[in-house]
Structure formats: structure tokens, C-alpha cells
């Protein structure tokens, strides 16, 4: 029953639950209503969930005013519920969401879209993704690689985050300037796909599952920023990045070892260390008829890089001008640099 109460999500509902003063402020602050999280993974025994979801969408569309929307849709199925049982109810909610109702703020007014689904998601629900998405610049998709995704209209797309391998249609790979690969197996097939993103300036490898030793070289001639966040040691020498300027990595032994194997480290100017974190969703009852979720980062088990590994990375970057990020990483880096400061004449720590 606790699961069935977790109906809606959105940070503004969490803020409204603090006190009456905060509720009043939230009601009059349009930008707080631009993010919608619509969870259609379950319906439960009560059909009034349809009206609650419709009310949730209506309030966000109206109170956000003329601002564009950031929309998240969960269509994955709960194991104990037949996804086909209430498909007509989900269709009704999605029709309001994509059309905008009388507010006129349909999918053509969205700035960002995140959608998740699985093999059991009814095709009738996925067909909504074929609607007008002409202003969407950020797209996140979490679905199986072999999922049948309708061709999407994405002429303005510039950032794509792929989870678990699905590749949406409806855009030219060369129009992207930012790509995030989340939980992807780095295979020769994936390398061939990556080579199509010829205009990328930023690439994020977020917790890749594995990498193949048979990877072909991939040249990304415009890429200036590489972000590697992995708890596993990966071979990244297949990446040829002639314009690499900024390197980000989590301060974990496997991740630092992985970036040590990169080509073109000798031209890196900026090095940023971050923490490897795992995000979980927590829920709070708002007292307004639905629950709101919020993300909380859970710090992963840490295996810090040795001083030798860190020194190897720094020595591979003789043109470094700034090291920033996690305090521990900056402190250890400065300790290494102080031993031979002439190797990095322009280096500063932030």
C-alpha cells in the first residue's frame, strides 16, 4: 500500500509542504511549476488517481505561465500490475499532458523530456512520443535497446542522455553538442554509433558497464570536455580527442586509472575531480492528495586513487592550468605539484 501512495513527484510539492508561507510563495512563483514528473507505472484499486494526475498536470501548466516545461514520464510497469489493465486511463492522462488541454501548453512547449519504459509498456502509450516535440533541447531515454520507439520530431535537440542503450529516431546525430551515455556497454558497435556524433563538444560516460578490448578508434574532432564517472577500470584509448581541453573524473581509483589511458592528455588545461554518487528517490506525503519525491545522493563505497596513480595523471597533463573540485583531490594534487612545481608553471588550485 505504501507503493500505491507514491503517485506523483515534483520538488514544488515538497516545498509547499513546509509551511503556509512557503506554500504561498510557491503558488506565485511560476518557475517552480515548470517541472512535472508523471508516474503512470501503477494505478491501484482507486480510479480517482486519474483525476489527481489530471489535476497535477493542470496546476503545473497553468501556474508555470508562459515558461517552457521540463517533463518526466515513467511508463515502466509494476510487477504486480498488468500494464494493459488501465491503459485507457494512462492514455487519458497522456492526452492532457501532450495536448495541454485548454491551456494550450502541450508538448510543443517543452524544453526537456525524460521518459522511461520497458518491454511491457503498451504501444498505445509509446505512440504519444511521436507527437510534436519541436522545442525539446534535452532528451533522456531509459529503455531497452531493442525497444520499438516511434520516430520522434526533435529538430531542436542538442543534448541526449541514453540509458541502457535505446536510440531514439527523429534527429540528426550531427546536431547534438552534448551526449551522456549512462550504463552503456562500450562495444565496437557502440563505437560506430559514437563516431556519428561529429559535432559533440561534451561527452559524459556515466557508470559504463564494460569496455571491449577490440574497440576501433573514434575521432571526435570538436570535443572539448570529457566527463568520466565510472567505478570500473575501462580502456579509453579508442577515443581520439584532438581538441580536449577539460577533463572531469570521479576521485575513485578505477576512474582515475581509466582516464590515465586517454590520448591527448598533454593538451588538457582543466582537471576537475568529483564524487561518485548514487541517486535514490525518497518520498514525502504533501498532505495535498499526493506524495512528492525528491532525489538524494547516496555516497558510493570509496576506493581512492593512490598517490602514484594521481601523480601519473598529473604528469600526463603538463599544460594544466587549473585543478578544481573535491577538496581531498585538490589537496593531494597540490602536494604532488609542490614537489616539482616547474612541471606545471601555470597551474593553480581552486
Amino acid at each position: 500500500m505504501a507503493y500505491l501512495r507514491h503517485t506523483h513527484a515534483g520538488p514544488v510539492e515538497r516545498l509547499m509542504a513546509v509551511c503556509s508561507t512557503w506554500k504561498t510563495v510557491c503558488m506565485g512563483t511560476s518557475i517552480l511549476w515548470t517541472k512535472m514528473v508523471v508516474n503512470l507505472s501503477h494505478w491501484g484499486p482507486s480510479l480517482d488517481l486519474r483525476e489527481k494526475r489530471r489535476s497535477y498536470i493542470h496546476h503545473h501548466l497553468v501556474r508555470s505561465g508562459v515558461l517552457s516545461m521540463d517533463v518526466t514520464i515513467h511508463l515502466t510497469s509494476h510487477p504486480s500490475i498488468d500494464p494493459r489493465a488501465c491503459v485507457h486511463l494512462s492514455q487519458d492522462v497522456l492526452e492532457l499532458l501532450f495536448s495541454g488541454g485548454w491551456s494550450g501548453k502541450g508538448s510543443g512547449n517543452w524544453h526537456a523530456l525524460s521518459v522511461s519504459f520497458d518491454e511491457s509498456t503498451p504501444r498505445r502509450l509509446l505512440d504519444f512520443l511521436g507527437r510534436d516535440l519541436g522545442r525539446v533541447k534535452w532528451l533522456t531515454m531509459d529503455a531497452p535497446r531493442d525497444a520499438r520507439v516511434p520516430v520522434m520530431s526533435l529538430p531542436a535537440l542538442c543534448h541526449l542522455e541514453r540509458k541502457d542503450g535505446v536510440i531514439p529516431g527523429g534527429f540528426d546525430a550531427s546536431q547534438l553538442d552534448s551526449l551522456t551515455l549512462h550504463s552503456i556497454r562500450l562495444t565496437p558497435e557502440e563505437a560506430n554509433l559514437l563516431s556519428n556524433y561529429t559535432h559533440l563538444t561534451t561527452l559524459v560516460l556515466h557508470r559504463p558497464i564494460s569496455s571491449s578490448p577490440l574497440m576501433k578508434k573514434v575521432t571526435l574532432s570538436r570535443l572539448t570536455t570529457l566527463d568520466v564517472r565510472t567505478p570500473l577500470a575501462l580502456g579509453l584509448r579508442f577515443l581520439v580527442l584532438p581538441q580536449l581541453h577539460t577533463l572531469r573524473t570521479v576521485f575513485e581509483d578505477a576512474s582515475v586509472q581509466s582516464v590515465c589511458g586517454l590520448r591527448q592528455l598533454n593538451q588538457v588545461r582543466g582537471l576537475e575531480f568529483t564524487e561518485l554518487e548514487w541517486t535514490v528517490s525518497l518520498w514525502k506525503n504533501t498532505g495535498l492528495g499526493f506524495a512528492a519525491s525528491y532525489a538524494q545522493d547516496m555516497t558510493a563505497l570509496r576506493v581512492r586513487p593512490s598517490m602514484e596513480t594521481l601523480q601519473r595523471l598529473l604528469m600526463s597533463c603538463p599544460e594544466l592550468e587549473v585543478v578544481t573540485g573535491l577538496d581531498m583531490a585538490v589537496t593531494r594534487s597540490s602536494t604532488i605539484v609542490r614537489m616539482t612545481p616547474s612541471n606545471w608553471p601555470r597551474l593553480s588550485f581552486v
Side-chain angles (χ1 to χ4, degrees), residues 147-295:
R148 295 179 297 170
V149 184
V151 175
M152 304 170 72
S153 175
L154 299 163
L157 188 68
C158 59
H159 174 86
L160 173 65
E161 180 174 355
R162 289 172 45 205
K163 298 183 179 181
D164 201 21
V166 68
I167 305 173
F171 69 96
D172 185 346
S174 63
Q175 76 188 61
L176 294 183
D177 57 40
S178 177
L179 175 66
T180 298
L181 299 179
H182 194 296
S183 302
I184 299 290
R185 295 184 185 276
L186 298 176
T187 62
E189 178 187 2
E190 192 65 46
N192 290 334
L193 294 173
L194 190 58
S195 64
N196 295 327
Y197 300 105
T198 54
H199 288 67
L200 280 185
T201 59
T202 300
L203 173 63
V204 181
L205 300 177
H206 194 174
R207 295 206 299 270
I209 298 174
S210 63
S211 63
S212 168
L214 303 177
M215 297 288 281
K216 297 180 180 179
K217 289 183 181 179
V218 175
T219 300
L220 300 174
S221 58
R222 300 192 181 189
L223 195 95
T224 59
T225 302
L226 177 65
D227 190 337
V228 180
R229 310 177 188 182
T230 174
L232 304 173
L234 302 172
L236 300 178
R237 286 190 62 79
F238 71 94
L239 291 173
V240 180
L241 312 172
Q243 300 297 322
L244 184 61
H245 183 278
T246 302
L247 177 63
R248 299 192 185 102
T249 182
V250 292
F251 196 57
E252 299 284 328
D253 184 68
S255 191
V256 174
Q257 287 194 42
S258 297
V259 298
C260 281
L262 284 165
R263 306 169 187 266
Q264 286 93 31
L265 285 177
N266 60 334
Q267 62 197 28
V268 171
R269 299 293 193 275
L271 180 59
E272 180 179 349
F273 293 103
T274 60
E275 190 71 275
L276 182 63
E277 295 174 329
W278 306 80
T279 302
V280 297
S281 294
L282 301 178
W283 296 84
K284 180 179 179 64
N285 194 331
T286 63
L288 302 172
F290 52 85
S293 75
Y294 59 97

Side-chain angles (χ1 to χ4, degrees), residues 73-86:
I73 307 172
H74 296 298
L75 296 174
T76 52
S77 301
H78 190 260
S80 64
I81 299 174
D82 184 351
R84 299 165 297 179
C86 298

Side-chain angles (χ1 to χ4, degrees), residues 12 14-27 32:
V12 66
R14 186 182 177 211
L15 294 175
M16 289 172 61
V18 173
C19 64
S20 59
T21 300
W22 281 44
K23 181 177 179 179
T24 302
V25 172
C26 290
M27 289 290 190
L32 294 178

Side-chain angles (χ1 to χ4, degrees), residues 53-162:
R53 285 170 170 147
R54 288 178 59 88
S55 176
Y56 171 86
I57 293 170
H58 171 76
H59 282 292
H60 278 73
L61 293 177
V62 172
R63 296 187 186 281
S64 60
V66 299
L67 300 178
S68 57
M69 306 298 294
D70 180 343
V71 178
T72 298
I73 307 172
H74 296 298
L75 296 174
T76 52
S77 301
H78 190 260
S80 64
I81 299 174
D82 184 351
R84 299 165 297 179
C86 298
V87 66
H88 62 290
L89 300 178
S90 295
Q91 282 183 287
D92 181 64
V93 173
L94 289 176
E95 181 61 39
L96 174 61
L97 179 64
F98 277 80
S99 69
W102 63 264
S103 72
K105 289 186 61 176
S107 56
N109 188 255
W110 297 354
H111 169 77
L113 170 63
S114 177
V115 60
S116 62
F117 56 92
D118 55 26
E119 296 88 345
S120 63
T121 303
R123 177 70 186 191
R124 282 180 285 173
L125 302 186
L126 295 182
D127 285 343
F128 280 92
L129 299 178
R131 298 284 187 92
D132 175 30
L133 298 170
R135 295 187 183 181
V136 170
K137 293 184 177 181
W138 293 71
L139 175 65
T140 300
M141 296 204 73
D142 185 359
R145 175 178 285 274
D146 57 354
R148 295 179 297 170
V149 184
V151 175
M152 304 170 72
S153 175
L154 299 163
L157 188 68
C158 59
H159 174 86
L160 173 65
E161 180 174 355
R162 289 172 45 205

